[in-house]
Amino acid sequence: MNLLGSGISELLPFFVRTSVTQNDSANGEALWEMERGFWLNDAAYYTTFLAPDCIMVFPEPPGVLVGNEITAALEQAPRWQTIEMENGSLVELDTRVTVLTYRAIAQRDGDLPYRALCSSIYTRTNSQWLLVHHQQTPLPPEQQTHMKDQNHGRKKNTRQADRHH
C-alpha cells in the first residue's frame, strides 16, 4: 500500500481521459487554433481568451506570470511570426477541462527558431474555452539540433501559421 491508500487507480474514475490527435474533434481543432493564437496575436486576444487567474511559466526572465502580469509582459515583448506545433496531444480530462501538449518551433523576425516543449490547460466556462495554465520548457541547443535532424524530410504533424504583426 502506498500513501494514496490502495493506489492511484482509485482516482482515475474521476476523470474521463480521452486522448485524441490535433484534428479529431471540433473542440480539438478549436483549441489548437486558440493555442496558435496565443503565440501569434496581441494583448487583445489574450484579454478575450485568458482566464483572469491564469498562470504562465516561462524561462527566466520573465518566469512565472499570473493574471494581469501576463498581458503587461506581452505588451513589452515582440510577437512571434511563425509557429509550428509537432507531436501534439489533446487529453480531455472531463467535458470542461482539456490539456494540450506539443513541441513548438516558433520564430520572430530575424531571430533563430525557438524550440520548446509546451503544455496548456483550458477550461470551458459556459460556452467559452479559456486558457488557465501554460508552461514552456525550452529545449537545450544540442536537442534543438537533434530535433531538426530527426524532422528533416519527414512531414510535419501540424500546419504552420504565418502572420506578421
Side-chain angles (χ1 to χ4, degrees):
M1 187 175 294
N2 62 32
L3 295 175
L4 294 174
S6 332
I8 192 74
S9 61
E10 290 178 6
L11 299 175
L12 293 179
F14 292 111
F15 299 106
V16 177
R17 297 185 56 130
T18 308
S19 183
V20 297
T21 60
Q22 290 186 6
N23 297 318
D24 280 353
S25 71
N27 279 339
E29 180 64 23
L31 287 171
W32 286 110
E33 287 302 317
M34 185 177 285
E35 187 74 7
R36 278 185 195 88
F38 280 110
W39 284 87
L40 301 172
N41 289 309
D42 60 10
Y45 185 88
Y46 278 66
T47 302
T48 303
F49 298 112
L50 200 68
D53 54 352
C54 182
I55 299 171
M56 291 192 168
V57 182
F58 300 103
E60 293 284 347
V64 177
L65 300 173
V66 180
N68 292 334
E69 294 173 343
I70 298 166
T71 51
L74 178 68
E75 291 170 357
Q76 305 301 316
R79 300 307 305 138
W80 299 101
Q81 292 184 308
T82 63
I83 178 66
E84 294 179 38
M85 298 175 184
E86 301 176 336
N87 301 338
S89 174
L90 182 154
V91 177
E92 295 173 338
L93 298 178
D94 66 27
T95 59
R96 295 174 296 130
V97 179
T98 299
V99 178
L100 304 179
T101 59
Y102 58 96
R103 181 174 291 156
I105 304 170
Q107 193 159 10
R108 292 182 171 120
D109 191 30
D111 288 348
L112 292 173
Y114 169 72
R115 291 175 168 84
L117 300 176
C118 301
S119 64
S120 292
I121 302 172
Y122 288 86
T123 186
R124 185 194 311 255
T125 58
N126 301 319
S127 63
Q128 177 67 53
W129 285 101
L130 296 175
L131 180 65
V132 294
H133 186 271
H134 177 76
Q135 182 271 328
Q136 294 179 14
T137 303
L139 293 172
E142 63 274 4
Q143 286 185 343
Q144 292 188 21
T145 302
H146 177 67
M147 197 174 86
K148 178 181 174 185
D149 294 343
Q150 281 183 331
N151 290 328
H152 184 69
R154 191 168 51 169
K155 184 178 177 186
K156 298 257 187 300
N157 201 6
T158 61
R159 298 176 297 195
Q160 179 176 347
D162 285 327
R163 195 153 174 176
H164 299 281
H165 294 284

